[in-house]
Amino acid sequence: MAAASAQRGGRRLSLCLASAGVVKTLSIAAFTLVWTHSVEKIDWQEDWRITQQGLELVQARVKGFGAGMEPPPEARLVDGWFQWQPKRPPMPELALANSGAAGEWRLCHDGNCRTLSDILGHPVGVHVTIMRACEP
């Protein structure tokens, strides 16, 4: 995923994460969000870009399909992944919940993936994590 410069009023934007009273700022312009479906145990990935309008979902991929994770009709199978480009406006924030029935959310950037617990410095568990564009 190519990282583009995210700017707001001439200032660079970053990604802010907040969970259980902890806030972290990551100086990135794009990232991949990765998780494992709690029932099907199938990986899902989404590429996001940080823009002036919020978080923009650029591409989604799923390794298979099953309960509640059917790829849309426009999805194409590429290297074992169904992938597509969702058509939705940027979101001001993204709330990530965790049922505790599957692994943690992982955030990937420049080929490195880390769990939200690792990034935030404490076990996230079932706490909701809020992601949004912010100024560093």
Side-chain angles (χ1 to χ4, degrees):
M1 163 176 55
S5 179
Q7 303 269 328
R8 176 180 289 159
R11 291 186 230 149
R12 183 170 172 79
L13 294 175
S14 295
L15 178 67
C16 284
L17 305 168
S19 181
V22 174
V23 177
K24 291 284 181 168
T25 302
L26 304 177
S27 295
I28 59 177
F31 61 94
T32 299
L33 192 58
V34 180
W35 69 95
T36 303
H37 190 276
S38 61
V39 175
E40 299 294 340
K41 308 299 184 209
I42 295 172
D43 283 342
W44 189 291
Q45 300 179 352
E46 293 178 344
D47 296 335
W48 292 83
R49 183 171 35 227
I50 302 166
T51 71
Q52 294 176 354
Q53 294 75 32
L55 301 177
E56 178 184 9
L57 180 55
V58 177
Q59 185 178 65
R61 292 176 296 284
V62 63
K63 194 71 169 172
F65 52 89
M69 45 186 309
E70 296 77 16
E74 68 271 15
R76 299 292 172 250
L77 187 60
V78 178
D79 296 328
W81 291 82
F82 290 97
Q83 64 182 35
W84 65 97
Q85 295 171 330
K87 305 292 186 222
R88 66 182 323 169
M91 301 171 64
E93 67 180 28
L94 184 62
L96 304 176
N98 189 340
S99 69
E104 272 197 72
W105 294 92
R106 297 173 305 281
L107 192 141
C108 306
H109 179 262
D110 285 342
N112 297 314
C113 296
R114 298 169 58 197
T115 65
L116 294 183
S117 290
D118 183 42
I119 293 168
L120 290 163
H122 70 85
V124 172
V126 296
H127 295 284
V128 172
T129 300
I130 303 295
M131 303 175 82
R132 62 178 175 79
C134 62
E135 294 183 13

